[in-house]
Amino acid sequence: MRGKILLCGFFSVLLLGGTVAVADAQEASGSAAPVDLGAFRGDSHSDVTGINDDGAMVGEYWTTARGPIALRWNPDGTTTRLAVPAGYSDTGPRAINAKGFIAGTAYNSRYLQRPVLWRPDGSFTELSSPDVNGYSAATAINSGGVVAGTVATGTISVKRAARWDANGVMTLLPLAPGDTQSEAAAINDAGVIVGTSGDQAVRWNPDGTVVRLTPLPGATLGSAQGVNNTGFVVGGSGGHAVRWAADGSVTALPSLHPENPWSLAKAINDSGVITGSSDTALMWDARGTITDLGALAGHRQSEGVAINALGVVVGHSRGDSTYSLHAVRWTAPGRITDLGRSFPGYERSEAFAINARGQAIGESLQSGDEDHSVTWTRPDVLTDLSPDNDNRKAKAINAHGVIVGVGTRYRKRRIAIRWELDGTITKLVGPESHDYHSYASGINDSGVTVGSSGSRRGRGQPTRWAQDGTPTLLPLLPGDDGGSTDAIDNRGVIIGSSGPRDDTSLHVVRWDPDGKVTELKGLPGEKYTTATALNNRDEIVGHSGSHPIRWNPDGSITTLPVPEGARTCEAKGINDSGVVAGFCESSAVGLPVALRWAPDGTVTVLPPLPGGHQTKANGINALGEIVGFSGNSDSQIHAVRWLATAGNAEVQPVSQ
């Protein structure tokens, strides 16, 4: 596990450390159930291909080690891997209907692509096709369970559009006159199917008849991509996004870039809102007005693939690297969420802090061993704070969701930064003569930030930034020449450290709102003492030597009790109720064990995920929710949140 100093911020927000990976959500019995946190995918990429009106989405993710894996994003933000029987691999769901039936593809044991159907109960069925040795795919499904897709026929495997009824019986759809092949792309609830025949857009009526859709003047190539329940069809003609009315008349949709007019419409909802792409994802309203939906920060390309009745668009955003396709969801223009998720064995993540609303910040390992700062919002939806590999590190978050940390791209110097609520980044520089480098480590709910700043060759000095970014150097203890601040509460009380040059035994200090500095003494005989967190009652926690401690408002020190067999303990967070979170190592096996101390000092061992043997708690919010990590039965390490519960469980030996 990587060593690092992790520092805390403000009322209800405490920082935490640890290196963790992430998997599907689990719960464990005990005093506080741990819940897995989602993590940003690293050595993989993902794509959403379908959405229903309830907000359930389907798609797939890839890794360099494995092929595509079918996935459903549930409306509550959780994800579910779709079942795949033995003998099938490389699955690709393409559409989901209102009842939860999913149509898609899978490769069989002979590595031939087959059309498949997932039922709401998770069962999996291969749909019939005329040539079991050829390409086949299910691409769309309506609310009645009728599936549209494409199958291979004949000795030379010619593609033909097909329809499967709700009982799985397949029918080939007719070709337009003179054509030899066709493909189906979408179906509406009336059974109208659209796609291509030859190289032109067509519509198949419920009675099976085929109708060519009129191209734009001068165009010869086209395709139909989507159809809604009022009979409007969207697609492309001659490189332009188009919409066909129910009577077959065609309208060119406006382009975002007239000088580069290529565009394609992919889907349309029943209100007539359309999604598609040019260089980035686009939306056209029912009148045809175009809007750029945008891409993830640092990405130059995106595509809207599907849209539901509420106008929520899903698709993907793409960066420059090979594995940089991110599944995304737009709820409004520019309001984009990365839907990437981590799965066992592919990456790790660590949470740093959590606020009273349950929003957490941390890091997730990316391909090439690069950590990205990320933020989780309930229900554990994750957003990348450093998608452009700018080496930004988030360190603290306040109750409003404003985040502070450090970036190192600016002339290779460390510069304190603040993420605003809209995602924009502000640089925080030190005062004059101390503006060469800076570092932000804590923020309170008023937006006052603390950290350090320094000159080119001088030591870092403890620094406080006002809400408007104005910096102020804080005083040091007599004889000290450097230091840093670690956390600030809502009253403006700050904790940190100071010391003389080249002395490793730094003094723990507290700054009052008026700037007065006071040393916090450690336990007698202990040389190394550290403060990690404080609450709004001026209670401070940390450790002195190997003992977890709490400083009371009058400056007196209390040693927190530990379970039998514990060693090397730390208190990492405290909330305004006086509940403390932290951990100890077991003298038997040397693994960390997460602990919670009640205000009266009673200690509780927090339960691991099922089958796990190591846990670590590092932060707690005003609601009593604790964040950290836990092992599981597969010996993986997962980021978790323990939910607050009443009472205290029986204390268990740390070695168990």
Side-chain angles (χ1 to χ4, degrees):
M1 187 160 54
R2 294 168 296 164
K4 58 172 70 177
I5 298 174
L6 300 176
L7 307 170
C8 65
F10 46 89
F11 133 85
S12 81
V13 180
L14 299 159
L15 296 185
L16 59 107
T19 303
V20 297
V22 180
D24 299 325
Q26 304 177 57
E27 293 186 358
S29 60
S31 63
V35 177
D36 278 354
L37 292 173
F40 193 74
R41 171 218 73 269
D43 191 19
S44 64
H45 60 182
S46 55
D47 191 12
V48 175
T49 52
I51 184 172
N52 68 13
D53 290 345
D54 293 327
M57 296 165 285
V58 293
E60 53 203 345
Y61 79 98
W62 297 259
T63 72
T64 54
R66 300 183 60 177
I69 297 172
L71 185 68
R72 182 180 67 229
W73 285 268
N74 303 311
D76 64 2
T78 60
T79 58
T80 302
R81 288 177 61 171
L82 300 180
V84 181
Y88 291 90
S89 63
D90 291 5
T91 50
R94 291 293 175 262
I96 181 171
N97 72 5
K99 298 178 181 178
F101 286 81
I102 299 168
T105 63
Y107 283 80
N108 63 17
S109 59
R110 299 171 58 196
Y111 209 69
L112 298 171
Q113 184 172 278
R114 312 304 301 150
V116 298
L117 181 71
W118 286 271
R119 294 180 174 82
D121 63 5
S123 59
F124 172 100
T125 300
E126 179 180 333
L127 299 172
S128 62
S129 63
D131 185 355
V132 296
N133 296 314
Y135 159 93
S136 296
T139 54
I141 184 170
N142 68 11
S143 61
V146 180
V147 176
T150 304
V151 299
T153 62
T155 57
I156 59 173
S157 296
V158 175
K159 292 181 179 180
R160 289 286 303 274
R163 177 182 61 217
W164 291 266
D165 65 21
N167 296 317
V169 178
M170 190 212 74
T171 302
L172 289 178
L173 298 174
L175 296 164
D179 293 335
T180 58
Q181 60 181 4
S182 59
E183 296 184 63
I187 184 173
N188 69 9
D189 289 344
V192 175
I193 298 172
V194 297
T196 59
S197 180
D199 53 15
Q200 295 184 10
V202 295
R203 179 185 68 226
W204 287 275
N205 298 317
D207 62 4
T209 56
V210 60
V211 177
R212 290 193 190 275
L213 296 174
T214 305
L216 291 175
T220 57
L221 305 179
S223 66
Q225 301 285 328
V227 58
N228 68 8
N229 286 323
T230 59
F232 279 81
V233 179
V234 294
S237 178
H240 297 266
V242 296
R243 177 183 60 207
W244 288 275
D247 63 5
S249 57
V250 62
T251 301
L253 297 172
S255 173
L256 190 65
H257 306 291
E259 71 282 2
N260 182 22
W262 181 90
S263 59
L264 179 66
K266 297 286 289 187
I268 181 171
N269 70 9
D270 288 346
S271 299
V273 180
I274 300 166
T275 186
S277 65
S278 180
D279 286 335
T280 56
L282 306 176
M283 177 184 287
W284 294 268
D285 64 20
R287 296 171 299 175
T289 303
I290 189 171
T291 302
D292 188 349
L293 291 175
L296 290 173
H299 286 193
R300 296 184 298 177
Q301 298 180 8
S302 62
E303 181 175 357
V305 174
I307 185 171
N308 72 2
L310 300 178
V312 177
V313 176
V314 293
H316 56 259
S317 178
R318 184 187 297 274
D320 293 329
S321 65
T322 302
Y323 282 89
S324 62
L325 189 73
H326 298 211
V328 294
R329 175 183 62 217
W330 292 269
T331 54
R335 295 183 61 182
I336 184 173
T337 300
D338 195 312
L339 298 172
R341 274 294 199 261
S342 173
F343 294 90
Y346 293 119
E347 65 177 284
R348 63 178 182 249
S349 68
E350 63 184 288
F352 288 167
I354 185 170
N355 66 13
R357 298 187 302 172
Q359 182 179 358
I361 60 171
E363 291 181 352
S364 180
L365 180 68
Q366 302 301 285
S367 57
D369 277 347
E370 293 179 351
D371 284 326
H372 282 213
S373 288
V374 296
T375 178
W376 291 273
T377 54
R378 290 184 174 181
D380 303 327
V381 174
L382 182 147
T383 301
D384 191 356
L385 295 174
S386 187
D388 52 2
N389 294 307
D390 200 14
N391 201 23
R392 305 184 190 111
K393 305 295 182 183
K395 292 300 180 182
I397 180 173
N398 71 9
H400 305 297
V402 179
I403 299 168
V404 295
V406 62
T408 58
R409 189 175 186 180
Y410 311 105
R411 298 181 182 177
K412 297 183 179 180
R413 295 178 293 162
R414 294 195 314 173
I415 298 294
I417 56 177
R418 181 176 65 217
W419 284 268
E420 310 295 346
L421 295 178
D422 62 2
T424 59
I425 295 176
T426 301
K427 290 190 290 185
L428 300 173
V429 297
E432 186 177 357
S433 77
H434 288 80
D435 59 355
Y436 185 75
H437 61 81
S438 57
Y439 185 97
S441 53
I443 183 172
N444 69 10
D445 292 346
S446 298
V448 179
T449 302
V450 295
S452 66
S453 60
S455 60
R456 180 185 292 269
R457 293 182 176 84
R459 293 188 64 194
Q461 303 293 310
T463 306
R464 176 180 60 209
W465 287 270
Q467 196 277 335
D468 64 0
T470 302
T472 301
L473 292 180
L474 296 172
L476 299 169
L477 292 173
D480 291 348
D481 65 355
S484 64
T485 58
D486 299 336
I488 181 172
D489 69 12
N490 283 336
R491 296 177 57 249
V493 176
I494 301 168
I495 59 172
S497 60
S498 75
R501 185 181 298 274
D502 300 326
D503 190 336
T504 58
S505 56
L506 295 175
H507 304 116
V508 176
V509 295
R510 180 187 68 208
W511 289 271
D512 294 331
D514 61 3
K516 177 185 176 182
V517 60
T518 303
E519 182 177 3
L520 298 173
K521 297 292 187 179
L523 294 173
E526 296 291 351
K527 183 177 182 181
Y528 299 103
T529 299
T530 300
T532 56
L534 79 164
N535 65 13
N536 287 312
R537 304 194 306 187
D538 289 347
E539 295 172 316
I540 299 168
V541 295
H543 62 275
S544 185
S546 61
H547 307 282
I549 56 175
R550 178 182 65 224
W551 286 277
N552 303 309
D554 62 2
S556 62
I557 191 170
T558 299
T559 302
L560 298 173
V562 298
E564 179 182 358
R567 68 176 187 183
T568 314
C569 303
E570 297 183 28
K572 300 291 287 186
I574 182 170
N575 68 9
D576 285 349
S577 299
V579 181
V580 178
F583 66 94
C584 289
E585 290 185 0
S586 163
S587 60
V589 294
L591 296 176
V593 175
L595 302 174
R596 179 183 63 204
W597 288 272
D600 64 3
T602 304
V603 63
T604 300
V605 175
L606 297 175
L609 293 171
H613 298 289
Q614 60 176 312
T615 54
K616 187 178 181 183
N618 298 283
I620 183 171
N621 70 4
L623 304 178
E625 298 173 326
I626 296 172
V627 285
F629 70 71
S630 171
N632 69 359
S633 58
D634 295 325
S635 299
Q636 298 163 340
I637 303 298
H638 295 189
V640 296
R641 175 175 59 210
W642 285 273
L643 304 178
T645 58
N648 292 284
E650 179 182 357
V651 175
Q652 299 293 324
V654 172
S655 59
Q656 290 188 357

